């Protein structure tokens, strides 16, 4: 059973940075892609960034290109989302999720989800 656990959220001022972590267990992750989504109050899940575990190919939503980076640590089975130049509109609960397809941005293509971590950016 694949399990994903996010950490690293918090409160930061606009222009600041945060790094989110997604610790994965219970699967052969070389076959997976991991994506980060976010959900603001009253809104749908929004794709943010994704990485293919094997090879490390990455892709990003236009809204975060140039500000966010995604990486993985194979030894620790962990995916990171580095968020720089944060804006108030980045405020949301951030989720990591795993898929057997790549690249995909639709939330329904991701079958395993973490519990989420809150990111709040103050102006």
């Amino acid at each position: 059973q694949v399990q994903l656990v996010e950490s690293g959220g918090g409160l930061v001022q606009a222009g600041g940075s945060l790094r989110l972590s997604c610790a994965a267990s219970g699967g052969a992750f070389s076959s997976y892609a991991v994506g980060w989504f976010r959900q603001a109050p009253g809104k749908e899940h929004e794709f943010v960034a994704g990485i293919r575990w094997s090879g490390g190919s990455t892709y990003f939503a236009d809204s975060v290109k140039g500000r966010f980076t995604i990486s993985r640590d194979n030894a620790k089975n962990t995916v990171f989302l580095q968020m720089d130049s944060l804006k108030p509109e980045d405020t949301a609960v951030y989720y990591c999720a795993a898929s057997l397809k790549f690249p995909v941005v639709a939330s329904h293509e991701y079958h395993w989800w973490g519990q989420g971590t809150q990111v709040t950016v103050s102006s």
Side-chain angles (χ1 to χ4, degrees):
Q1 180 73 8
V2 174
Q3 291 188 321
L4 304 171
V5 179
E6 304 95 335
S7 61
L11 173 64
V12 64
Q13 288 187 331
S17 298
L18 281 175
R19 189 175 82 155
L20 305 183
S21 299
C22 173
S25 61
F29 292 101
S30 61
S31 301
Y32 290 77
V34 174
W36 284 96
F37 287 78
R38 62 189 182 188
Q39 187 173 29
K43 295 189 176 181
E44 299 290 323
H45 279 103
E46 176 191 10
F47 172 80
V48 175
I51 186 166
R52 189 174 194 175
W53 204 282
S54 176
S57 297
T58 61
Y59 52 108
F60 298 89
D62 288 343
S63 59
V64 305
K65 278 181 183 176
R67 300 189 298 123
F68 291 11
T69 57
I70 187 171
S71 61
R72 83 230 187 276
D73 183 327
N74 289 339
K76 296 182 179 180
N77 274 358
T78 301
V79 172
F80 302 100
L81 183 69
Q82 178 67 41
M83 305 186 295
D84 299 319
S85 302
L86 282 162
K87 304 175 182 180
E89 51 263 45
D90 294 318
T91 295
V93 177
Y94 282 71
Y95 299 88
C96 67
S99 173
L100 292 174
K101 298 181 180 180
F102 178 89
V104 288
V105 301
S107 59
H108 68 265
E109 298 283 7
Y110 288 79
H111 303 294
W112 300 275
W113 291 78
Q115 82 288 350
T117 185
Q118 177 70 47
V119 171
T120 303
V121 184
S122 63
S123 57

